[in-house]
Amino acid sequence: MTGLPAELLALRQAVRELAESRIAPRAAEVDRTAQFPWDYVEALRQHDLFRVGLPEAYGGLGLGLLGAALVTEELSRIDAVAGLLVAVQELGTLPIVLAGSEEQKKEFLPRCASGECLAAFGLTEPEAGSDAAAGRTRAVRRGDEYVLDGMKHFVTNAGVAGVYVVFAHTDPAAGARGMSAFIVTSDTPGFAVGRLQHKMGIRGSTTGELLFDGARVPRSRLLGREGDGFRIAMATLDRSRTTIAAQAVGIAQGALDYALAYARERRQFGRPIAEFEGLQFMLADMATRTEAARQLLYAACARLDEEGEGLARLPAEASRLSAMAKLFASDTAMQVTTDAVQVLGGYGYMVEHPVERMMRDAKITQIYEGTNQIQRLVVARSLLETLGVAR
Ligand code: COS
């Protein structure tokens, strides 16, 4: 890979070796059983991979979004569920990094950096998906506590996380400006994890409901000020979307590598199918798209890493790059994995080969952390803003 510093190239190589030795032997079983892979978590903890993106002052390695993307990509090349562990740790901790007080950062970030505690992000509700400000979860202040009532769903790491960043309206009449963000620990009275979903892909990762029934959250766990919640969510997603792009690039690379090796081995009409031009053109397109997605992803990460922490709205071109990377990489992952199944023909449709799993896993990257329709909306709005045109 051109343009990456030696430190990141070494990290990339170390993660590749770890993924091949510790993740690859388990990936098919994790998919089949849909059991959360605590052994993956242990492997990532042992290799300090939860630390990568977090600031050094709080136990992180300070390698930013680019570092987190490289790790997510390499893990996802073998198993998207492993990459997602790093991506969601970023998603769940970024609100604390961006908006937390010094005390909150000291209390929560080192535990998340070591991997002792997994993090999660609770924004989505049954009636509030793309329209993220439409949630019905309420938070009412009573003395030194907030009382939360409502529910979140489709939350990655539900039931396995120790710390959840949860968004609730403190002033429902104020819409997006009335939303606030809270750090909720798993032992909070009145908080429970509800139903876990059965899914098409990323089956080893948990996805489920968070239930709040008079949940009592100390006032000290409010992130920023009342009303900052929507901005915290948007500032987080602007950055975390790069990790989903990284997951998508990794899935695409994994499928391409497998299809390429297969095409050299598989013989039909007396020669390897890789010698047929029709197959060669497919493989060339798969490789070109994957590399283009990777370069866009790295450019987006490098641009975002230039920005400081804090809640200030990102320059239009920075959030645009992030949305473009997520959009292009996830569409690429879907296309490349579908083509990889095609390269393998009937064998590609069978669970003995990993490309059908990769194709199922790729689909979610077009949906979560903002559907690709929302990414297009973000890109278009920022283009118009840059031109000074009202949207
Ligand atoms: N950074 C900081 N602030 C932002 C922002 C951003 N990227 N985008 C919007 N805001 C602010 C706006 O400035 C506005 O603030 P003011 O009221 O003070 O002016 C407020 O947030 C509302 O903005 P807007 O009117 O643009 O909000 P919309 O309801 O139109 O929603 C989208 C904007 C669609 C981009 C947003 O709802 C979104 O990202 N939806 C997808 C949610 C998502 O990704 N869900 C997945 C959940 S995690 S798996």
Side-chain angles (χ1 to χ4, degrees):
M1 193 55 47
T2 53
L4 288 178
E7 180 187 25
L8 290 181
L9 287 172
L11 172 70
R12 178 191 191 100
Q13 187 55 32
V15 179
R16 177 166 290 216
E17 285 162 22
L18 173 75
E20 281 170 359
S21 63
R22 301 274 295 270
I23 308 292
R26 287 265 294 131
E29 187 185 9
V30 167
D31 177 59
R32 182 172 53 77
T33 61
Q35 291 292 313
F36 183 78
W38 283 108
D39 56 323
Y40 288 9
V41 174
E42 193 49 38
L44 268 54
R45 280 178 186 150
Q46 285 169 3
H47 288 77
D48 286 331
L49 296 183
F50 290 116
R51 297 185 192 278
V52 171
L54 283 165
E56 286 173 284
Y58 308 103
L61 296 179
L63 296 175
L65 291 170
L66 185 54
L70 288 175
V71 174
T72 305
E73 178 192 336
E74 281 304 324
L75 294 171
S76 301
R77 180 177 157 266
I78 301 297
D79 186 350
V81 168
L84 188 55
L85 289 170
V86 174
V88 177
Q89 202 74 342
E90 281 289 309
L91 177 67
T93 54
L94 268 166
I96 304 174
V97 172
L98 296 173
S101 65
E102 194 53 31
E103 291 72 35
Q104 289 168 338
K105 289 179 183 178
K106 279 191 184 139
E107 183 176 357
F108 292 103
L109 295 180
R111 287 158 58 197
C112 293
S114 69
E116 170 198 336
C117 182
L118 296 181
F121 181 88
L123 175 65
T124 301
E125 297 185 18
E127 305 300 327
S130 294
D131 188 3
R136 293 183 186 160
T137 301
R138 301 281 179 260
V140 177
R141 185 152 155 218
R142 293 225 184 98
D144 269 351
E145 290 178 336
Y146 284 91
V147 178
L148 269 62
D149 284 285
M151 66 101 73
K152 297 284 161 183
H153 85 164
F154 293 173
V155 176
T156 306
N157 275 358
V160 296
V163 55
Y164 298 82
V165 170
V166 173
F167 297 84
H169 278 92
T170 39
D171 181 1
R177 289 183 183 182
M179 190 184 258
S180 302
F182 301 89
I183 303 171
V184 177
T185 52
S186 52
D187 58 359
T188 299
F191 165 68
V193 173
R195 193 167 62 100
L196 297 183
Q197 298 284 344
H198 294 285
K199 305 189 294 291
M200 171 195 282
I202 54 163
R203 289 168 45 76
S205 173
T206 65
T207 306
E209 295 170 342
L210 310 182
L211 309 176
F212 302 92
D213 182 10
R216 289 174 13 234
V217 178
R219 198 179 152 202
S220 61
R221 302 267 163 92
L222 172 72
L223 277 169
R225 290 167 307 176
E226 278 190 23
D228 281 348
F230 195 73
R231 283 200 305 144
I232 294 172
M234 291 299 114
T236 297
L237 290 167
D238 268 344
R239 293 164 172 86
S240 68
R241 281 171 182 151
T242 57
T243 64
I244 300 308
Q247 185 188 36
V249 170
I251 296 170
Q253 188 65 52
L256 170 63
D257 290 347
Y258 198 88
L260 201 54
Y262 181 90
R264 286 171 57 189
E265 293 298 319
R266 170 78 171 162
R267 296 178 72 87
Q268 290 290 276
F269 304 102
R271 47 188 173 142
I273 60 171
E275 289 183 12
F276 293 105
E277 196 177 61
L279 261 285
Q280 290 178 352
F281 282 12
M282 267 178 91
L283 292 165
D285 284 345
M286 290 159 75
T288 304
R289 287 201 176 101
T290 304
E291 188 58 30
R294 177 179 291 115
Q295 295 301 331
L296 181 55
L297 165 66
Y298 292 177
C301 290
R303 179 64 190 84
L304 288 165
D305 282 337
E306 285 170 9
E307 295 295 325
E309 288 150 18
L311 277 189
R313 189 159 184 171
L314 289 174
E317 111 279 356
S319 55
R320 182 164 75 234
L321 267 177
S322 168
M324 284 174 165
K326 194 276 193 189
L327 164 65
F328 187 75
S330 58
D331 283 352
T332 296
M334 201 64 246
Q335 175 79 56
V336 169
T337 54
T338 306
D339 288 349
V341 169
Q342 192 70 21
V343 169
L344 269 72
Y347 290 102
Y349 203 68
M350 305 298 155
V351 296
E352 282 74 18
H353 294 275
V355 286
E356 62 83 31
R357 165 172 57 85
M358 292 167 172
M359 183 176 153
R360 287 185 283 106
D361 287 348
K363 186 61 205 171
I364 191 62
T365 65
Q366 294 179 304
I367 297 172
Y368 61 10
E369 294 204 25
T371 63
N372 281 2
Q373 286 68 30
I374 290 295
Q375 306 312 314
R376 288 181 171 91
L377 184 143
V378 170
V379 171
R381 282 183 176 183
S382 99
L383 285 172
L384 294 171
E385 263 172 37
T386 309
L387 293 174
V389 180
R391 50 184 170 83

Tab-separated table of all heavy atoms in Angstrom, residues 11 44-56 58-64 67-68 71 86 89-90 93 109-116:
chain	number	residue	atom	x	y	z
A	11	LEU	N	1.580	-2.413	11.660
A	11	LEU	CA	0.321	-2.759	12.341
A	11	LEU	C	-0.546	-3.621	11.432
A	11	LEU	O	-1.075	-4.656	11.834
A	11	LEU	CB	-0.428	-1.477	12.721
A	11	LEU	CG	-1.839	-1.664	13.271
A	11	LEU	CD1	-1.807	-2.295	14.664
A	11	LEU	CD2	-2.595	-0.328	13.336
A	44	LEU	N	-8.223	-9.816	20.400
A	44	LEU	CA	-8.056	-8.373	20.160
A	44	LEU	C	-7.500	-7.668	21.397
A	44	LEU	O	-6.665	-6.760	21.284
A	44	LEU	CB	-9.395	-7.746	19.742
A	44	LEU	CG	-9.680	-7.686	18.241
A	44	LEU	CD1	-9.557	-9.016	17.537
A	44	LEU	CD2	-11.057	-7.083	17.981
A	45	ARG	N	-7.987	-8.107	22.572
A	45	ARG	CA	-7.458	-7.536	23.826
A	45	ARG	C	-5.965	-7.820	23.943
A	45	ARG	O	-5.177	-6.924	24.246
A	45	ARG	CB	-8.148	-8.191	25.029
A	45	ARG	CG	-9.501	-7.661	25.355
A	45	ARG	CD	-10.053	-8.460	26.542
A	45	ARG	NE	-11.426	-8.085	26.829
A	45	ARG	CZ	-12.329	-8.919	27.342
A	45	ARG	NH1	-12.015	-10.180	27.615
A	45	ARG	NH2	-13.552	-8.506	27.584
A	46	GLN	N	-5.590	-9.076	23.700
A	46	GLN	CA	-4.175	-9.465	23.864
A	46	GLN	C	-3.261	-8.668	22.941
A	46	GLN	O	-2.115	-8.415	23.262
A	46	GLN	CB	-4.004	-10.958	23.567
A	46	GLN	CG	-4.512	-11.853	24.680
A	46	GLN	CD	-4.581	-13.313	24.260
A	46	GLN	OE1	-4.204	-13.669	23.147
A	46	GLN	NE2	-5.081	-14.152	25.143
A	47	HIS	N	-3.786	-8.288	21.781
A	47	HIS	CA	-2.952	-7.557	20.816
A	47	HIS	C	-3.211	-6.047	20.847
A	47	HIS	O	-2.823	-5.336	19.912
A	47	HIS	CB	-3.165	-8.124	19.409
A	47	HIS	CG	-2.532	-9.478	19.257
A	47	HIS	ND1	-3.103	-10.613	19.770
A	47	HIS	CD2	-1.367	-9.854	18.696
A	47	HIS	CE1	-2.318	-11.651	19.509
A	47	HIS	NE2	-1.258	-11.217	18.872
A	48	ASP	N	-3.895	-5.589	21.885
A	48	ASP	CA	-4.121	-4.143	22.083
A	48	ASP	C	-4.877	-3.491	20.924
A	48	ASP	O	-4.689	-2.294	20.657
A	48	ASP	CB	-2.786	-3.409	22.290
A	48	ASP	CG	-2.214	-3.679	23.667
A	48	ASP	OD1	-3.015	-3.931	24.599
A	48	ASP	OD2	-0.974	-3.654	23.811
A	49	LEU	N	-5.714	-4.246	20.240
A	49	LEU	CA	-6.358	-3.680	19.047
A	49	LEU	C	-7.558	-2.786	19.366
A	49	LEU	O	-7.984	-2.016	18.515
A	49	LEU	CB	-6.747	-4.792	18.072
A	49	LEU	CG	-5.548	-5.564	17.500
A	49	LEU	CD1	-6.005	-6.598	16.480
A	49	LEU	CD2	-4.520	-4.625	16.873
A	50	PHE	N	-8.097	-2.870	20.583
A	50	PHE	CA	-9.163	-1.923	20.944
A	50	PHE	C	-8.575	-0.541	21.248
A	50	PHE	O	-9.301	0.433	21.361
A	50	PHE	CB	-9.950	-2.434	22.158
A	50	PHE	CG	-10.811	-3.631	21.870
A	50	PHE	CD1	-10.578	-4.849	22.487
A	50	PHE	CD2	-11.873	-3.541	20.974
A	50	PHE	CE1	-11.382	-5.954	22.233
A	50	PHE	CE2	-12.684	-4.639	20.708
A	50	PHE	CZ	-12.434	-5.851	21.338
A	51	ARG	N	-7.262	-0.494	21.436
A	51	ARG	CA	-6.625	0.787	21.805
A	51	ARG	C	-6.365	1.691	20.594
A	51	ARG	O	-6.133	2.891	20.756
A	51	ARG	CB	-5.255	0.530	22.457
A	51	ARG	CG	-5.313	-0.226	23.747
A	51	ARG	CD	-3.924	-0.320	24.384
A	51	ARG	NE	-3.909	-1.275	25.478
A	51	ARG	CZ	-4.318	-0.986	26.721
A	51	ARG	NH1	-4.739	0.225	27.017
A	51	ARG	NH2	-4.291	-1.904	27.660
A	52	VAL	N	-6.375	1.081	19.407
A	52	VAL	CA	-5.766	1.738	18.245
A	52	VAL	C	-6.242	3.172	18.000
A	52	VAL	O	-5.436	4.088	17.875
A	52	VAL	CB	-5.983	0.869	16.989
A	52	VAL	CG1	-5.571	1.603	15.730
A	52	VAL	CG2	-5.159	-0.400	17.114
A	53	GLY	N	-7.560	3.383	17.945
A	53	GLY	CA	-8.068	4.703	17.552
A	53	GLY	C	-8.185	5.684	18.700
A	53	GLY	O	-8.353	6.889	18.485
A	54	LEU	N	-8.113	5.196	19.937
A	54	LEU	CA	-8.381	6.077	21.082
A	54	LEU	C	-7.179	6.957	21.412
A	54	LEU	O	-6.030	6.595	21.123
A	54	LEU	CB	-8.781	5.229	22.290
A	54	LEU	CG	-10.225	4.716	22.217
A	54	LEU	CD1	-10.474	3.604	23.228
A	54	LEU	CD2	-11.201	5.865	22.459
A	55	PRO	N	-7.424	8.136	22.040
A	55	PRO	CA	-6.318	9.053	22.353
A	55	PRO	C	-5.353	8.435	23.374
A	55	PRO	O	-5.767	7.710	24.275
A	55	PRO	CB	-7.019	10.270	22.972
A	55	PRO	CG	-8.462	10.113	22.682
A	55	PRO	CD	-8.736	8.681	22.432
A	56	GLU	N	-4.077	8.767	23.219
A	56	GLU	CA	-3.044	8.212	24.105
A	56	GLU	C	-3.272	8.592	25.573
A	56	GLU	O	-2.971	7.812	26.463
A	56	GLU	CB	-1.661	8.701	23.663
A	56	GLU	CG	-1.190	7.997	22.393
A	56	GLU	CD	0.094	8.584	21.858
A	56	GLU	OE1	0.034	9.683	21.265
A	56	GLU	OE2	1.150	7.960	22.050
A	58	TYR	N	-5.761	8.509	27.255
A	58	TYR	CA	-6.735	7.642	27.933
A	58	TYR	C	-6.508	6.167	27.592
A	58	TYR	O	-7.453	5.391	27.445
A	58	TYR	CB	-8.170	8.071	27.569
A	58	TYR	CG	-8.383	9.540	27.810
A	58	TYR	CD1	-8.391	10.451	26.749
A	58	TYR	CD2	-8.523	10.031	29.111
A	58	TYR	CE1	-8.541	11.805	26.972
A	58	TYR	CE2	-8.669	11.384	29.346
A	58	TYR	CZ	-8.677	12.271	28.273
A	58	TYR	OH	-8.820	13.608	28.509
A	59	GLY	N	-5.253	5.804	27.424
A	59	GLY	CA	-4.946	4.382	27.214
A	59	GLY	C	-4.966	3.941	25.764
A	59	GLY	O	-4.766	2.758	25.473
A	60	GLY	N	-5.192	4.874	24.852
A	60	GLY	CA	-5.221	4.492	23.437
A	60	GLY	C	-3.841	4.547	22.807
A	60	GLY	O	-2.857	4.932	23.449
A	61	LEU	N	-3.779	4.163	21.538
A	61	LEU	CA	-2.504	4.246	20.800
A	61	LEU	C	-2.446	5.515	19.951
A	61	LEU	O	-1.426	5.794	19.314
A	61	LEU	CB	-2.323	3.015	19.895
A	61	LEU	CG	-2.213	1.666	20.615
A	61	LEU	CD1	-2.054	0.535	19.605
A	61	LEU	CD2	-1.039	1.674	21.586
A	62	GLY	N	-3.543	6.253	19.889
A	62	GLY	CA	-3.544	7.541	19.188
A	62	GLY	C	-3.329	7.433	17.687
A	62	GLY	O	-2.823	8.359	17.062
A	63	LEU	N	-3.722	6.307	17.102
A	63	LEU	CA	-3.513	6.141	15.654
A	63	LEU	C	-4.716	6.583	14.820
A	63	LEU	O	-4.740	6.391	13.602
A	63	LEU	CB	-3.142	4.687	15.338
A	63	LEU	CG	-1.815	4.225	15.947
A	63	LEU	CD1	-1.587	2.746	15.700
A	63	LEU	CD2	-0.650	5.041	15.388
A	64	GLY	N	-5.684	7.178	15.493
A	64	GLY	CA	-6.769	7.854	14.793
A	64	GLY	C	-7.676	6.938	13.999
A	64	GLY	O	-7.642	5.699	14.131
A	67	GLY	N	-5.811	4.435	11.692
A	67	GLY	CA	-5.374	3.222	12.390
A	67	GLY	C	-6.537	2.267	12.608
A	67	GLY	O	-6.434	1.055	12.350
A	68	ALA	N	-7.655	2.823	13.084
A	68	ALA	CA	-8.834	1.977	13.335
A	68	ALA	C	-9.328	1.344	12.035
A	68	ALA	O	-9.765	0.187	12.012
A	68	ALA	CB	-9.944	2.811	13.975
A	71	VAL	N	-7.092	-1.679	10.983
A	71	VAL	CA	-7.352	-2.869	11.803
A	71	VAL	C	-8.699	-3.493	11.412
A	71	VAL	O	-8.808	-4.711	11.213
A	71	VAL	CB	-7.335	-2.494	13.309
A	71	VAL	CG1	-7.753	-3.685	14.159
A	71	VAL	CG2	-5.952	-2.004	13.719
A	86	VAL	N	-14.062	-3.888	16.446
A	86	VAL	CA	-13.257	-2.662	16.523
A	86	VAL	C	-14.101	-1.457	16.090
A	86	VAL	O	-14.063	-0.390	16.713
A	86	VAL	CB	-11.989	-2.789	15.660
A	86	VAL	CG1	-11.214	-1.482	15.605
A	86	VAL	CG2	-11.103	-3.907	16.202
A	89	GLN	N	-16.472	-0.457	18.838
A	89	GLN	CA	-15.766	0.162	19.967
A	89	GLN	C	-15.516	1.647	19.648
A	89	GLN	O	-15.637	2.502	20.520
A	89	GLN	CB	-14.447	-0.586	20.222
A	89	GLN	CG	-13.891	-0.423	21.604
A	89	GLN	CD	-14.649	-1.222	22.679
A	89	GLN	OE1	-15.781	-1.651	22.470
A	89	GLN	NE2	-14.054	-1.391	23.821
A	90	GLU	N	-15.205	1.934	18.392
A	90	GLU	CA	-15.048	3.338	17.960
A	90	GLU	C	-16.383	4.075	18.082
A	90	GLU	O	-16.451	5.169	18.627
A	90	GLU	CB	-14.599	3.395	16.492
A	90	GLU	CG	-13.136	3.126	16.266
A	90	GLU	CD	-12.265	4.266	16.765
A	90	GLU	OE1	-12.514	5.427	16.405
A	90	GLU	OE2	-11.336	3.991	17.549
A	93	THR	N	-17.351	4.757	21.695
A	93	THR	CA	-16.476	5.636	22.492
A	93	THR	C	-16.335	7.042	21.899
A	93	THR	O	-16.025	7.986	22.631
A	93	THR	CB	-15.052	5.032	22.647
A	93	THR	OG1	-14.524	4.729	21.355
A	93	THR	CG2	-15.069	3.787	23.513
A	109	LEU	N	-12.885	5.689	29.132
A	109	LEU	CA	-12.068	5.378	27.944
A	109	LEU	C	-10.966	4.347	28.195
A	109	LEU	O	-10.784	3.444	27.364
A	109	LEU	CB	-11.498	6.672	27.332
A	109	LEU	CG	-12.563	7.630	26.767
A	109	LEU	CD1	-11.902	8.878	26.173
A	109	LEU	CD2	-13.436	6.932	25.726
A	110	PRO	N	-10.242	4.408	29.335
A	110	PRO	CA	-9.196	3.391	29.510
A	110	PRO	C	-9.756	1.962	29.543
A	110	PRO	O	-9.151	1.041	29.000
A	110	PRO	CB	-8.555	3.773	30.854
A	110	PRO	CG	-8.811	5.250	30.966
A	110	PRO	CD	-10.177	5.446	30.373
A	111	ARG	N	-10.936	1.787	30.139
A	111	ARG	CA	-11.541	0.434	30.192
A	111	ARG	C	-11.957	-0.031	28.811
A	111	ARG	O	-11.948	-1.229	28.513
A	111	ARG	CB	-12.765	0.454	31.115
A	111	ARG	CG	-12.389	0.553	32.580
A	111	ARG	CD	-13.525	1.094	33.413
A	111	ARG	NE	-14.726	0.288	33.300
A	111	ARG	CZ	-15.932	0.714	33.650
A	111	ARG	NH1	-16.100	1.929	34.109
A	111	ARG	NH2	-16.967	-0.081	33.526
A	112	CYS	N	-12.378	0.908	27.972
A	112	CYS	CA	-12.746	0.530	26.598
A	112	CYS	C	-11.486	0.303	25.761
A	112	CYS	O	-11.466	-0.569	24.884
A	112	CYS	CB	-13.621	1.614	25.968
A	112	CYS	SG	-15.233	1.754	26.757
A	113	ALA	N	-10.442	1.069	26.048
A	113	ALA	CA	-9.196	0.912	25.283
A	113	ALA	C	-8.586	-0.465	25.523
A	113	ALA	O	-8.087	-1.114	24.588
A	113	ALA	CB	-8.205	2.015	25.675
A	114	SER	N	-8.638	-0.929	26.755
A	114	SER	CA	-8.047	-2.247	27.062
A	114	SER	C	-8.939	-3.375	26.539
A	114	SER	O	-8.486	-4.510	26.408
A	114	SER	CB	-7.875	-2.405	28.576
A	114	SER	OG	-9.153	-2.501	29.181
A	115	GLY	N	-10.194	-3.059	26.277
A	115	GLY	CA	-11.127	-4.098	25.841
A	115	GLY	C	-11.805	-4.794	27.007
A	115	GLY	O	-12.628	-5.683	26.830
A	116	GLU	N	-11.456	-4.361	28.237
A	116	GLU	CA	-12.123	-4.907	29.429
A	116	GLU	C	-13.635	-4.677	29.298
A	116	GLU	O	-14.445	-5.508	29.696
A	116	GLU	CB	-11.563	-4.173	30.660
A	116	GLU	CG	-12.275	-4.427	31.958
A	116	GLU	CD	-11.944	-3.342	32.998
A	116	GLU	OE1	-10.876	-2.693	32.889
A	116	GLU	OE2	-12.778	-3.143	33.893
